[in-house]
Amino acid sequence: MKYNWKYGILEDAVNKGSSNISLNKIKDDDGDYPVFGAKGFAQNVSFYQQESEYLGIIKDGAGIGRVSRHPEKSSILATMQYILPKKGFDIQFINYFLDYIDFEKYRTGSTIPHIYYKDYKSEPFPLVNIDEQKRIVAKLDECFSLIDNCQLKIENSLRNAKELFQSQLNQIFSQKGDGWVEKKLREVFDVRDGTHDSPKYINEGIPFVTQKNITDGGLKFDKVKFINQDDHDKFYKRSNVAFNDIIISMIGANRGMACIVDDKRLFSIKNVGLIKSNEHMNQKYILYYLKSPLANEYVSNSSKGSAQRFIGLGKLRDFPIPFVPLEKQKEISFQIDQLKSQTQTLESNYQQELDALDELKKSILQKAFS
């Protein structure tokens, strides 16, 4: 603590307030007053809960402890807590102080994490006069403005690196050189899909992979559900998914996302397309094509459904692919591997720089308050 500062606790500087607003309660409301949630603006309604500017802090779910500043005549959802500065305390000074607190030590709950005001309200708080608060805020604003500008430039560079890879994929698969022939996926592969049934899940058993387990980084078994042997035997006969096959999401926001099965454990699939491997095709070549903007455009144009978009098995089997001899496929795969490695190195470097700037912010707040 600063030796010449007088200290109290956070509760000396703020009041807390609670919200009872849920999206279900306000879905039919409309008006001039904004409601904010963990992800920012939610919607406008015909009422407000706070007359003056205030802070909101996430108390339930992902992002607990994240603080945001909100305008007068607005409200927050019930997953957040109002933090209301008392007279004589600068709102941005309190905002920075809350950013300084390590809320992980107050975390409770495993499935849905929580933090409670009663636990962190006793954090030692500097009771300095308003002029000193504003002087500190001005210094922190200046530092964080410079850091934010650096972060913005790095984030743009990171985005450009990712876009460059997609642009190169598009160029490679659009070139139509000698020996290139367009074929349908069904002409080259055995294309199937998994079950569309919803079995009874059990605590332990055989993994039941859905579209949620297919990510840009590959097949993930974390948060997977499990089924019994009888259900697996029934579903497995339909798909017969195996090592080195390609699986592709057929429904939801990540439809078209594909990955190679690089795990030898047995599992069943639901709402997932299956492209069986064969000796005449290079799986990486096909996977890279499925990740290209050309393939994404086909998936988007071939999807149907209003509540949840999906691509049917027929459209999946009709997927147009650029067919080239196997040796050429291997050559192209190697070329993309090299490009991917270079891009990942760039992305890793940029991410390390962003992480370092986040640590710098924490260090500055630490020096300001501890």
Side-chain angles (χ1 to χ4, degrees), residues 95-109:
N95 193 348
Y96 280 134
F97 180 81
L98 290 172
D99 286 340
Y100 151 75
I101 296 175
D102 176 15
F103 284 101
E104 277 300 309
K105 63 187 178 184
Y106 299 116
R107 177 189 180 121
T108 62

Side-chain angles (χ1 to χ4, degrees), residues 134-326:
K134 290 183 180 296
R135 185 188 69 79
I136 293 169
V137 165
K139 283 289 185 183
L140 291 175
D141 282 348
E142 181 182 359
C143 291
F144 283 9
S145 177
L146 292 171
I147 294 173
D148 288 343
N149 286 336
C150 288
Q151 285 180 318
L152 183 61
K153 292 177 181 178
I154 295 170
E155 286 167 355
N156 286 336
S157 297
L158 179 60
R159 185 165 49 252
N160 289 339
K162 293 178 178 179
E163 290 175 354
L164 174 64
F165 180 71
Q166 288 296 308
S167 174
Q168 290 296 311
L169 276 185
N170 208 47
Q171 182 177 337
I172 288 169
F173 289 113
S174 301
Q175 58 187 354
K176 307 295 183 188
D178 291 340
W180 288 69
V181 179
E182 185 175 286
K183 291 191 176 185
K184 294 181 179 180
L185 203 57
R186 71 167 82 225
E187 296 179 84
V188 184
F189 291 98
D190 177 10
V191 183
R192 311 176 186 179
D193 66 350
T195 183
H196 301 284
D197 295 339
S198 296
K200 182 179 179 180
Y201 299 116
I202 57 178
N203 292 331
E204 292 184 7
I206 296 171
F208 194 51
V209 167
T210 71
Q211 77 279 7
K212 296 177 182 178
N213 300 106
I214 302 174
T215 73
D216 193 42
L219 176 60
K220 304 296 183 185
F221 283 92
D222 52 330
K223 298 183 180 179
V224 73
K225 295 182 178 179
F226 299 96
I227 58 175
N228 61 38
Q229 186 68 50
D230 288 342
D231 281 337
H232 169 69
D233 290 344
K234 179 175 61 176
F235 300 146
Y236 190 71
K237 289 177 183 177
R238 177 187 179 113
S239 61
N240 193 26
V241 59
F243 183 78
N244 207 39
D245 290 344
I246 291 176
I247 55 176
I248 180 170
S249 171
M250 297 177 69
I251 192 169
N254 76 330
R255 65 191 184 283
M257 184 80 73
C259 66
I260 293 176
V261 178
D262 56 0
D263 194 301
K264 293 186 177 181
R265 78 184 84 179
L266 288 176
F267 61 91
S268 290
I269 54 176
K270 174 186 177 182
N271 295 331
V272 170
L274 175 66
I275 303 169
K276 297 293 294 179
S277 63
N278 67 57
E279 60 185 8
H280 305 295
M281 295 296 295
N282 180 274
Q283 292 296 84
K284 263 194 173 182
Y285 170 80
I286 293 300
L287 179 67
Y288 280 136
Y289 174 70
L290 293 174
K291 290 178 175 289
S292 72
L294 286 172
N296 292 335
E297 183 179 3
Y298 175 81
V299 170
S300 178
N301 293 337
S302 302
S303 297
K304 56 185 178 180
S306 53
Q308 194 170 36
R309 303 280 286 170
F310 68 94
I311 180 170
L313 181 58
K315 290 293 185 180
L316 183 60
R317 285 173 169 164
D318 286 341
F319 215 120
I321 60 170
F323 180 82
V324 294
L326 182 58

